[in-house]
Amino acid sequence: MQVNMKVNGAEVSEEIEPRHLLVHFIRDQLGLTGTHWGCDTSNCGTCVVLIDGEPVKSCTQLAAMAGGHDVTTVEGLEVDGVLDPVQEGFMQCHGLQCGFCTPGMMLTARALLNADPDPSEDVIREAISGQICRCTGYSTIVRSIQWAANHETSVSLESAS
Amino acid sequence: MQVPAPIEYERATSVEHAVALRSELGDEARFIAGGHSLLPMMKLRLANPTHLIDINDLKELFYIREADSEVRIGAMARHRDLLDSELLARHFPIFRDAERVIADPTVRNRGTLGGSLCQADPSEDLSAVCTALDASCVITSSDGQRVVPMHAFHVGPYETAVANNEMLTEIRIPLRPGGGSAYQKVERRAGDWAVVSAGAAVWMDAGTIVDGRVGLAAVGPDTTSIQPVAEALAGAAPTEDLYQRVGEIAASNCSPETDGRGTAAYKTHLVAELTRRALRTAVARAQRQEV
Ligand SMILES: Cc1cc2nc3c(=O)[nH]c(=O)nc-3n(C[C@H](O)[C@H](O)[C@H](O)COP(=O)(O)OP(=O)(O)OC[C@H]3O[C@@H](n4cnc5c(N)ncnc54)[C@H](O)[C@@H]3O)c2cc1C
Ligand code: FES
Ligand code: FES
């Protein structure tokens, strides 16, 4: 079947098998390997992408179900060479070690900050609670997201200029 | 790598279209709502539908509203909508209690009330919630609608009253005076399925429990409503003795199994304790002594 959707702002139109999962469509068919694929059982959250701005585990959605929707992957966070404040925060605060969980963590952080520009630590921890990090112990991830919250305007202003 | 077996995919554009497709495509067709129970089952070949009918475009099923002394919830209301709803939090705080601990925020962005009830997994939380609240289910087919009370909705584990040409479209919860409700769950880690859950709802008048229900999850089939509990609660004064007794009744009316989440004895202990806690909070809320 034919599926049409927006991925990181660009229209894509592809022939797929209806049984294909969104995570494989994004990685194997679109070649966007920033979206990671881990547990395959909706538990780890490394496969999280945004569908119409909401974090969704892409190993547990069919590519066909995303048809007509807006999908954002980690590749879509950077715009014209300028990193998203969330990406900058993960660099500044050592929010990753091996980096396997990072794409999902950053997309959930982006969605959280869009809805709540000044989240408390508890709110941040709740937001990422469906995502597993084996390396950092989460504290630096929380700090990275707080860094992004504190730098939202300055970085966005820079990117606008 | 886990991938579902080959399927055909259709997108429904209205409830009418959805039920027409369901009748036309035969017994092996299934609706897909959030997909967070069905797709994992398909990956494991525990479910092998030939066709999936995607109902995510049915905007007419995404509501939570008050009408005719009932709260009516569309089958496609997602966990997140149930968690965020002020209307539900005001009338039925059991929903927010439960939704806070159902899966994780990312799963809650997709999973739906209709999908949860139709999955009919004995570990699933919302069936206990809806049964405690004396909800009923609106089931729609090309021939019209019928309303089935929650206690008759589940006909067995993973089996419901919804026939192959039908769809669950709405859940109705009666609004009655003096109501209070609460949910308690023990899980091994954030976002996990219950080791045991207990939900309680009571309706009070002049300091007495007029009517009350307790529903359990993860402790065997047929525990979403425990009749002897309802009998013990009707007309009783809300005392610690009562909670104690009702906890014991609940514990002797379930059939937990020893598994990775705990031993049967531990789960039975949890049933009694969580029932007591849920009842205590439900009564306090009914008495407007919100805790
Ligand atoms: C990691 C993880 C953790 C979870 N933890 C919990 C938990 O702690 N507690 C809990 O209760 N649940 C939990 N769940 C399950 C979650 O709540 C599911 O989203 C829910 O059970 C199913 O909803 P769904 O919309 O995804 O249904 P789907 O998977 O789309 O459908 C489930 C079944 O219902 C049928 N169906 C769906 N909608 C309708 C309808 N309107 N009419 C007729 N049939 C319909 C489908 O055909 C299918 O057979 C968890 C899931 C995951 C992945
Ligand atoms: S790969 Fe999707 S949640 Fe782990
Ligand atoms: S950085 Fe390694 S899993 Fe999170």
Side-chain angles (χ1 to χ4, degrees):
Chain A
M1 65 178 280
Q2 191 76 17
V3 72
N4 304 304
M5 67 182 88
K6 246 188 198 164
V7 178
N8 301 327
E11 294 288 350
V12 301
S13 179
E14 293 277 330
E15 187 62 30
I16 57 164
E17 263 192 78
R19 63 172 173 157
H20 274 173
L21 298 166
L22 182 58
V23 65
H24 300 311
F25 174 73
I26 290 170
R27 288 177 55 86
D28 303 340
Q29 207 154 339
L30 302 182
L32 296 171
T33 52
T35 301
H36 289 167
W37 168 55
C39 68
D40 216 359
T41 58
S42 351
N43 280 288
C44 75
T46 194
C47 65
V48 162
V49 300
L50 305 185
I51 299 183
D52 300 332
E54 276 189 359
V56 172
K57 292 175 174 173
S58 64
C59 69
T60 314
Q61 289 293 281
L62 297 171
M65 294 170 83
H69 294 275
D70 256 321
V71 176
T72 306
T73 69
V74 69
E75 289 89 346
L77 282 178
E78 173 223 297
V79 179
D80 295 335
V82 179
L83 294 183
D84 189 282
V86 167
Q87 293 173 302
E88 199 65 50
F90 272 70
M91 275 169 64
Q92 296 296 330
C93 302
H94 211 72
L96 63 144
Q97 290 177 31
C98 78
F100 194 70
C101 70
T102 314
M105 290 289 183
M106 292 203 296
L107 286 165
T108 297
R110 180 71 268 148
L112 170 66
L113 295 180
N114 287 348
D116 179 357
D118 187 22
S120 66
E121 174 170 349
D122 281 354
V123 168
I124 294 174
R125 286 187 181 270
E126 168 67 14
I128 60 170
S129 64
Q131 288 161 258
I132 292 171
C133 177
R134 290 293 202 193
C135 305
T136 64
Y138 302 98
S139 292
T140 56
I141 294 178
V142 172
R143 281 204 286 278
S144 303
I145 299 172
Q146 286 168 327
W147 189 98
N150 292 332
H151 292 77
E152 234 8 6
T153 28
S154 56
V155 181
S156 333
L157 281 181
E158 268 171 45
S159 67
S161 61
Chain B
M1 179 162 114
Q2 298 178 357
V3 174
I7 40 158
E8 298 293 326
Y9 172 90
E10 302 272 353
R11 234 185 233 213
T13 52
S14 64
V15 169
E16 232 179 354
H17 184 213
V19 292
L21 281 172
R22 187 77 169 84
S23 317
E24 178 190 317
L25 295 173
D27 292 352
E28 301 306 322
R30 292 263 198 124
F31 294 121
I32 184 159
H36 274 58
S37 289
L38 184 53
L39 289 173
M41 302 236 310
M42 287 170 63
K43 288 180 181 184
L44 297 170
R45 303 295 187 272
L46 294 172
N48 298 292
T50 51
H51 291 77
L52 289 186
I53 305 163
D54 187 344
I55 54 175
N56 284 279
D57 283 353
L58 304 191
K59 295 295 170 230
E60 66 260 46
L61 296 184
F62 281 84
Y63 57 88
I64 304 175
R65 63 177 172 242
E66 199 175 324
D68 299 336
S69 304
E70 286 177 334
V71 170
R72 298 182 170 178
I73 311 177
M76 286 301 294
R78 301 203 194 267
H79 289 300
R80 207 188 68 177
D81 306 323
L82 302 173
L83 176 62
D84 290 346
S85 166
E86 292 305 328
L87 180 71
L88 285 181
R90 190 163 69 246
H91 292 302
F92 308 116
I94 187 173
F95 266 104
R96 191 166 284 177
D97 289 355
E99 284 295 354
R100 281 200 173 112
V101 288
I102 290 178
D104 59 60
T106 326
V107 172
R108 293 200 293 261
N109 281 340
R110 294 305 290 172
T112 64
L113 174 56
S116 296
L117 299 186
C118 291
Q119 180 66 20
D121 182 325
S123 294
E124 180 267 311
D125 291 289
L126 290 178
S127 298
V129 168
C130 289
T131 311
L133 292 173
D134 197 20
S136 45
C137 301
V138 180
I139 299 176
T140 304
S141 72
S142 306
D143 303 329
Q145 294 192 331
R146 61 194 181 102
V147 181
V148 175
M150 260 318 287
H151 62 79
F153 183 77
H154 288 141
V155 296
Y158 308 100
E159 268 183 76
T160 70
V162 182
N164 282 344
N165 61 342
E166 293 180 317
M167 174 179 192
L168 173 62
T169 47
E170 184 178 77
I171 288 79
R172 295 180 177 170
I173 310 170
L175 277 168
R176 292 159 50 190
S181 59
Y183 203 72
Q184 291 278 331
K185 172 172 172 175
V186 167
E187 52 188 4
R188 289 175 309 173
R189 57 179 165 78
D192 197 15
W193 292 86
V195 178
V196 173
S197 301
V202 296
W203 291 268
M204 299 188 59
D205 185 30
T208 300
I209 298 173
V210 181
D211 187 9
R213 278 188 195 72
V214 166
L216 307 171
V219 286
D222 266 349
T223 59
T224 55
S225 174
I226 297 172
Q227 194 48 34
V229 164
E231 284 159 19
L233 288 173
T239 61
E240 276 303 316
D241 271 358
L242 177 73
Y243 306 150
Q244 197 66 33
R245 195 152 47 83
V246 169
E248 280 157 23
I249 297 174
S252 57
N253 278 278
C254 61
S255 47
E257 279 174 20
T258 296
D259 61 16
R261 288 189 169 79
T263 61
Y266 172 56
K267 292 182 186 184
T268 307
H269 165 78
L270 283 180
V271 165
E273 182 54 30
L274 297 184
T275 297
R276 286 194 285 268
R277 290 184 193 178
L279 265 178
R280 216 178 271 132
T281 309
V283 166
R285 285 173 172 168
Q287 294 170 329
R288 303 258 186 283
Q289 296 167 355
E290 184 56 81
V291 283

